[in-house]
Amino acid sequence: MTKPDRATQAAWAALMTTSRRLFEAVEAALKAAEHPPLAWYDALLEIEKADPDGLRPFELRELLLLPQYGTSRLLDRMVKAELIERQDCDDDGRGQIVRISGKGRAVRQAMWPVYAQVLSEEIGEKLTTEDTTQLVRLLSKL
């Protein structure tokens, strides 16, 4: 087993610290604006992109990289909030399809300016276009 060198360890620590800080900044801004959490935005966006066909919960789980129980709970809360609708799947008696509701579309659209503002402040105003392009290139290698 090879031990990671100091630079690798420092890169990992910086990546994790920055990721957590950015996530917390977005979450705090959404909460301050009385919006749902970031996971709801991500789910609504993926479901909206699948319109009109909707998504099966397992497809959403794969897109969001959530465990099965986390996806189920998330969808239950979003159905209760009337942001998505569940329908039985015609070709699978036990399966379901989720689709975004009009209210869900409106909530996602209202969340975006808050989310976008944090991205602009925390990334766009601190890095040049060349920096962000290089960051994407470097992260893509991982």
Side-chain angles (χ1 to χ4, degrees):
M1 177 165 111
T2 60
K3 180 180 170 186
D5 61 24
R6 287 186 184 268
T8 300
Q9 293 175 42
W12 173 255
L15 185 60
M16 292 296 99
T17 300
T18 302
S19 177
R20 185 180 68 245
R21 189 184 61 72
L22 292 172
F23 179 81
E24 289 171 355
V26 172
E27 286 283 20
L30 290 172
K31 185 175 183 177
E34 299 182 353
H35 288 305
L38 182 57
W40 290 41
Y41 179 89
D42 292 339
L44 288 169
L45 179 63
E46 293 301 334
I47 296 167
E48 186 174 19
K49 287 182 344 189
D51 256 359
D53 298 330
L55 283 176
R56 301 279 300 268
F58 76 88
E59 293 171 315
L60 183 62
R61 183 182 75 238
E62 291 170 1
L63 290 167
L64 299 179
L65 304 176
L66 291 173
Q68 189 276 327
Y69 68 87
T71 304
S72 295
R73 288 184 194 158
L74 175 65
L75 293 176
D76 288 344
R77 289 188 294 254
M78 293 173 71
V79 166
K80 186 175 181 180
E82 301 178 345
L83 302 181
I84 62 169
E85 301 160 349
R86 281 187 172 134
Q87 258 187 306
D88 290 335
C89 187
D90 291 336
D91 60 342
D92 180 355
R94 297 184 313 147
Q96 293 183 327
I97 297 174
V98 292
R99 290 187 176 87
I100 193 166
S101 67
K103 181 178 177 182
R105 191 172 275 107
V107 166
R108 194 213 48 83
Q109 289 171 351
M111 292 173 78
W112 173 243
V114 176
Y115 191 0
Q117 182 66 35
V118 175
L119 294 179
S120 293
E121 291 171 359
E122 297 295 328
I123 299 171
E125 293 176 10
K126 295 178 181 179
L127 299 177
T128 65
T129 301
E130 294 82 21
D131 290 340
T132 56
T133 300
Q134 182 178 9
L135 180 60
V136 170
R137 186 183 59 75
L138 291 170
L139 292 172
S140 296
K141 289 182 169 189
L142 302 178

